[in-house]
Amino acid sequence: MPNISRDEVAHLAKLARLAVTDDELDVFAGQLDQILDSVAKVSQVAAADVPPTSHSVPLTNVFREDEIRPCLTQQQVLAGAPASEQGRFRVPRILGEEQ
């Protein structure tokens, strides 16, 4: 006997604006019941003395330090562009076009 009823599944489907058939209500009720049972089991295992974690292994910041390195000048970058204007890449306008 599922802990979640067909009426509750129908209500959830209505809230999510999903069209659900009668057969799907039975299937979803069973599936949601399994999900709720699994969550209940995990809740039983989780103890108050165990801190919540986002990862199973401890992680530290893996980002590299910012350091200034030589790079291309604006003129060198724009020299390879098909078109430029006022020191920027010029691209075709796409806003406002009808589809």
Side-chain angles (χ1 to χ4, degrees):
M1 181 82 182
N3 293 330
I4 187 166
S5 69
R6 293 179 82 238
D7 291 336
E8 290 172 320
V9 175
H11 180 68
L12 289 172
K14 182 179 177 184
L15 291 174
R17 297 181 181 177
L18 298 173
V20 180
T21 66
D22 287 337
D23 293 335
E24 289 174 330
L25 286 175
D26 293 327
V27 172
F28 293 157
Q31 290 175 344
L32 287 171
D33 187 47
Q34 288 178 347
I35 292 169
L36 293 175
D37 285 343
S38 298
V39 170
K41 288 178 186 176
V42 170
S43 297
Q44 290 173 356
V45 172
D49 60 335
V50 177
T53 60
S54 61
H55 299 287
S56 60
V57 294
L59 296 176
T60 57
N61 188 353
V62 294
F63 297 115
R64 64 171 173 79
E65 292 294 323
D66 287 338
E67 53 187 59
I68 298 173
R69 296 187 293 181
C71 62
L72 299 174
T73 66
Q74 182 181 22
Q75 291 79 20
Q76 290 172 320
V77 171
L78 293 175
S84 64
E85 182 178 292
Q86 298 179 350
R88 300 184 192 117
F89 292 105
R90 181 175 170 86
V91 295
R93 182 181 199 130
I94 58 169
L95 300 175
E97 292 182 0
E98 297 296 323
Q99 294 183 10

